Amino acid sequence: MYQMRNSKDHFKKKILIIGASSYIGSNIASYLSKKNYNVIGSYKKNKPKNIYNYKLIKLDLTSKVSISKIPKDIKIIINCACISKKYYNNLNKIINNNILSSYLLVNFINKELNIEKLIFTSSMSVYGYPDTKNISKDTNIYAPTIYGSIKFLEEKIYISNAKKYSVFCLRLPGILDNKSKYSLIPRLYKNLSKNQLIKISNPYEKYNNILSVFDLSKFINILCNSKIKKFSIETFPISAINPISLI
């Protein structure tokens, strides 16, 4: 006899968040799991601790065998995977972890999945050192770092290979939160607590190239919820609306 399931989880859209062990990924996963989604977070090596409200799977994007473990009923993929800061100047490491993994992931999506959207957290470092303070998606790229160049290549891989699903590449600025490992505020606090000298350039100049991870999570929730009539491909910077001064 067929029995209907009453659990609301049965009807929730399934989202895979790649890189849920990172600061950004873990916060997005935690935020979306409280919404009307069935969230699965992936990690490569270190399993995140104190996770209570979403499922975790181990996933290595450089391995076809590992990628094949992605559930076939995933509808949205949010790729927050990032290479450790200590490897930013290691070209071989970056190519293997970023470029190869991007090709393997997008090939698996096109062959095995039927997703609606792919959201990729890129970086403002894509722009390099532009000759303008007002950055838009059409701002010319000038002398980017290796990391910025790799992020740009990842964007192109996802965009050029997309088939019947939307792709959103979000060029993120610095994430300014008190618990972010590489954020400015925690570093300043740590140095102050050790009575170390603090040097700040242009402390009163206003800028908006920062973003709270909470606001980022809210924005990604909007992207996940949005009903798009046709497949959309978008790449754009995202930052705070109201400029502030560091002081």
Side-chain angles (χ1 to χ4, degrees):
M1 181 178 68
Y2 177 76
Q3 183 178 1
M4 292 188 65
R5 297 175 62 181
N6 293 321
S7 172
K8 291 183 179 180
D9 289 343
H10 179 63
F11 303 101
K12 287 183 177 181
K13 186 174 294 185
K14 188 171 287 188
I15 293 180
L16 172 65
I17 299 178
I18 300 173
S21 59
S22 67
Y23 181 74
I24 292 177
S26 63
N27 277 274
I28 293 173
S30 179
Y31 183 91
L32 293 182
S33 65
K34 299 172 185 176
K35 304 299 179 180
N36 194 33
Y37 304 110
N38 182 358
V39 175
I40 298 176
S42 81
Y43 65 97
K44 184 177 180 180
K45 291 182 178 179
N46 301 319
K47 185 176 182 179
K49 299 179 180 179
N50 302 323
I51 301 299
Y52 303 107
N53 48 2
Y54 59 90
K55 181 181 177 182
L56 283 169
I57 61 172
K58 190 172 184 179
L59 188 62
D60 182 358
L61 295 184
T62 64
S63 166
K64 290 183 179 180
V65 175
S66 183
I67 290 179
S68 66
K69 297 177 182 178
I70 295 177
K72 299 299 190 294
D73 55 348
I74 291 292
K75 289 301 178 183
I76 298 174
I77 293 179
I78 303 172
N79 188 358
C80 301
C82 59
I83 193 168
S84 176
K85 194 172 184 178
K86 63 182 179 181
Y87 296 122
Y88 279 9
N89 292 319
N90 188 328
L91 184 57
N92 290 332
K93 193 83 173 180
I94 291 178
I95 289 176
N96 187 57
N97 282 270
N98 294 62
I99 302 304
L100 174 62
S101 63
S102 297
Y103 273 116
L104 293 179
L105 176 61
V106 77
N107 286 337
F108 180 79
I109 292 173
N110 291 339
K111 292 179 180 179
E112 303 292 340
L113 303 183
N114 183 28
I115 67 171
E116 299 172 1
K117 300 166 187 172
L118 170 64
I119 300 173
F120 172 57
T121 56
S122 185
S123 171
M124 290 285 281
S125 60
V126 163
Y127 294 105
Y129 298 92
D131 57 359
T132 177
K133 291 185 178 181
N134 300 316
I135 305 297
S136 73
K137 67 177 183 179
D138 298 320
T139 297
N140 292 328
I141 294 172
Y142 179 74
T145 62
I146 292 178
Y147 178 75
S149 300
I150 293 297
K151 281 293 184 181
F152 182 74
L153 287 175
E154 285 184 274
E155 293 178 0
K156 293 303 180 184
I157 291 171
Y158 293 129
I159 290 172
S160 62
N161 291 282
K163 294 182 179 180
K164 296 184 178 180
Y165 54 86
S166 297
V167 177
F168 299 100
C169 297
L170 312 182
R171 292 176 175 174
L172 304 184
I175 301 298
L176 201 62
D177 286 287
N178 61 352
K179 294 182 180 179
S180 175
K181 185 176 181 181
Y182 299 112
S183 185
L184 174 62
I185 297 302
R187 293 204 309 270
L188 290 177
Y189 177 81
K190 181 179 179 181
N191 291 339
L192 285 169
S193 66
K194 294 181 178 180
N195 200 29
Q196 295 180 352
L197 180 66
I198 302 296
K199 293 184 178 181
I200 301 175
S201 300
N202 302 320
Y204 297 101
E205 181 178 351
K206 291 187 175 182
Y207 62 100
N208 64 353
N209 193 19
I210 57 173
L211 189 68
S212 162
V213 74
F214 180 73
D215 286 335
L216 173 61
S217 299
K218 289 196 296 183
F219 181 71
I220 287 181
N221 181 41
I222 292 173
L223 287 181
C224 292
N225 260 324
S226 61
K227 295 182 179 179
I228 303 171
K229 294 182 179 180
K230 61 180 181 179
F231 306 118
S232 179
I233 305 294
E234 297 288 346
T235 300
F236 51 88
I238 176 173
S239 61
I241 295 176
N242 299 317
I244 65 171
S245 63
L246 184 59
I247 294 297

